[in-house]
Amino acid sequence: MGFNSFLRDERLLAAGLGLTTVGLLFVMRTILEYYRDEAEIKPTPPKTQYITQETEDSLKLGTLESLLGHYNFAIRDTALKIVAGRAVNDSSTINYLLWGITRKDYEERMEALRALAFAVEDKETFQEPLSVLNTPRAYSALVRSLELCLDDVEHEKLDDPLYDEYYLRDIGERRCLMLASQLIHRYGIEKLVEAGFVEKWLARQRWGDSDEERQKNFALYTERKKNRISDISFHLKTSKVGQKALLKAKLITKYRKSKRDRGDHIKVVLEISMTNEDDHDGTLRTELVPRVNDQSAEEQRLRRRHREAMVLNDGTHSLGRSDIIEREHDSNG
């Protein structure tokens, strides 16, 4: 009796209908979402494709030429890298460019220089792009191109140590010097000297009229300028073959000093500046102590022993004579 009355309870009936309605709505929503997702037409993502070596080799010159004029920058850059890679790996192309940079025609020479510089500048793709230029033929071509640049424009006299005219030079000359600088940093200066760089180009710069003026201006240029010419000149001066070539071109002098002169003409002036604590006016006293290395070994030993001292100062006051504690020594030495 009690169970039947419980089943006939209106509250239980209302709760059951409510739960059934919620479940039905949830099921219908799930079914509709499933059919909606299945009916949706999704765009197909593009497949990432990498250019292999076989693909690069299969591209013809006409195709590469059309890709070089493409509006997309990435496609043009990729095509340029492919062309540069083919040029570096093709000895006949490099030889043709080297032949081109030795032509007297200015435009033809500049085109070959631009192409050669571009072919060897991609160090990210190629491990050793400069290796194709590390040959006597390439060094001779660079020197010949520099030699032709002497007649392209009128060069200024290199007698002003404060004025750097390098960046006003012709672009072709700077491109050759850039390649030469990269080569000597990677492979050394010897092959560049053997190609006649010093006598054919460096010595023909307007260093001056007399030998003394040329040597002076060349030394000042090397010491005070920071460009590729001074960099190459520094490598020349620090190598034996470079020094020999510079001596032959009379850009430096051969200076030898005897061992006797090295020890007899050493003079050091020691300047001591200190403010004494007792000087209330704060005047600065300077002592000039000339030293001439003409003493005997015993006298030098005694002098070094007598000058031994300690300086104690905690930083709360300026350095004075009271802070210097000299070593006590007897008269017997």
Side-chain angles (χ1 to χ4, degrees):
M1 189 68 182
F3 181 72
N4 292 332
S5 62
F6 176 75
L7 293 177
R8 289 196 298 269
D9 190 355
E10 294 180 356
R11 291 175 296 179
L12 178 62
L13 182 62
L17 289 175
L19 292 175
T20 303
T21 304
V22 171
L24 181 61
L25 291 175
F26 178 76
V27 171
M28 290 181 63
R29 179 180 176 83
T30 304
I31 295 173
L32 290 174
E33 288 180 350
Y34 173 77
Y35 280 105
R36 183 200 63 186
D37 296 339
E38 289 295 327
E40 182 182 2
I41 301 176
K42 298 180 181 180
T44 304
K47 296 181 180 180
T48 304
Q49 296 180 353
Y50 297 96
I51 299 178
T52 61
Q53 189 63 42
E54 296 180 357
T55 306
E56 291 185 8
D57 297 338
S58 62
L59 294 176
K60 298 181 180 180
L61 294 179
T63 304
L64 288 174
E65 186 176 359
S66 62
L67 291 177
L68 290 174
H70 200 273
Y71 64 88
N72 191 302
F73 174 77
I75 295 178
R76 291 201 310 269
D77 186 62
T78 303
L80 284 172
K81 290 183 177 180
I82 294 175
V83 172
R86 288 189 180 183
V88 171
N89 295 319
D90 187 6
S91 59
S92 61
T93 303
I94 296 297
N95 292 334
Y96 178 79
L97 293 177
L98 292 176
W99 177 82
I101 68 175
T102 60
R103 299 300 91 199
K104 291 185 178 181
D105 183 69
Y106 182 82
E107 295 298 332
E108 183 180 0
R109 185 162 18 107
M110 291 302 105
E111 289 181 0
L113 272 174
R114 284 195 298 267
L116 185 63
F118 176 77
V120 299
E121 72 178 359
D122 192 2
K123 296 182 176 59
E124 297 180 357
T125 307
F126 311 103
Q127 298 295 329
E128 292 291 339
L130 290 173
S131 60
V132 296
L133 299 182
N134 188 31
T135 60
R137 182 173 185 175
Y139 283 97
S140 299
L142 288 175
V143 173
R144 175 56 181 167
S145 183
L146 285 171
E147 192 176 3
L148 292 173
C149 291
L150 294 173
D151 301 327
D152 292 335
V153 294
E154 184 178 357
H155 292 75
E156 301 178 0
K157 191 175 182 179
L158 306 176
D159 57 350
D160 189 354
L162 302 179
Y163 171 64
D164 191 356
E165 41 63 56
Y166 173 78
Y167 298 99
L168 298 179
R169 288 176 175 264
D170 184 70
I171 184 64
E173 195 172 30
R174 284 189 283 130
R175 281 198 178 108
C176 291
L177 292 172
M178 176 195 69
L179 294 174
S181 178
Q182 293 176 356
L183 286 169
I184 65 173
H185 279 281
R186 185 68 181 86
Y187 301 105
I189 197 72
E190 288 77 13
K191 291 184 179 179
L192 186 64
V193 175
E194 293 175 359
F197 172 80
V198 176
E199 57 269 22
K200 293 181 179 179
W201 185 83
L202 188 62
R204 295 175 61 184
Q205 299 296 304
R206 296 186 59 187
W207 300 110
D209 299 329
S210 62
D211 292 342
E212 291 77 8
E213 185 182 6
R214 288 167 55 84
Q215 294 164 6
K216 177 184 176 182
N217 291 334
F218 178 73
L220 290 176
Y221 193 98
T222 306
E223 294 173 0
R224 300 189 179 184
K225 304 294 179 63
K226 299 297 181 183
N227 53 47
R228 298 192 188 276
I229 299 177
S230 62
D231 179 58
I232 297 174
S233 300
F234 173 78
H235 284 78
L236 289 170
K237 295 175 70 174
T238 54
S239 64
K240 292 184 178 180
V241 292
Q243 290 179 0
K244 186 177 179 181
L246 292 174
L247 283 171
K248 186 177 180 181
K250 297 182 180 181
L251 291 177
I252 61 174
T253 57
K254 193 172 184 180
Y255 178 70
R256 290 185 177 180
K257 202 171 185 180
S258 62
K259 295 182 178 180
R260 184 176 181 180
D261 294 339
R262 294 174 186 173
D264 294 343
H265 295 86
I266 299 176
K267 183 176 181 180
V268 180
V269 177
L270 176 63
E271 182 176 347
I272 303 176
S273 301
M274 63 176 63
T275 303
N276 199 333
E277 290 180 335
D278 299 333
D279 297 339
H280 300 286
D281 56 351
T283 57
L284 189 65
R285 299 189 300 178
T286 303
E287 300 178 5
L288 294 178
V289 185
R291 294 181 184 174
V292 182
N293 193 11
D294 56 356
Q295 300 173 341
S296 63
E298 182 63 21
E299 291 175 345
Q300 292 181 13
R301 186 186 66 82
L302 290 176
R303 179 172 56 82
R304 284 195 297 267
R305 184 177 179 183
H306 290 171
R307 73 183 180 189
E308 291 178 356
M310 291 187 301
V311 180
L312 301 178
N313 189 299
D314 57 359
T316 58
H317 57 275
S318 58
L319 180 64
R321 292 186 180 275
S322 60
D323 297 324
I324 302 177
I325 303 175
E326 297 183 0
R327 174 181 175 181
E328 296 181 359
H329 51 273
D330 50 13
S331 58
N332 296 329

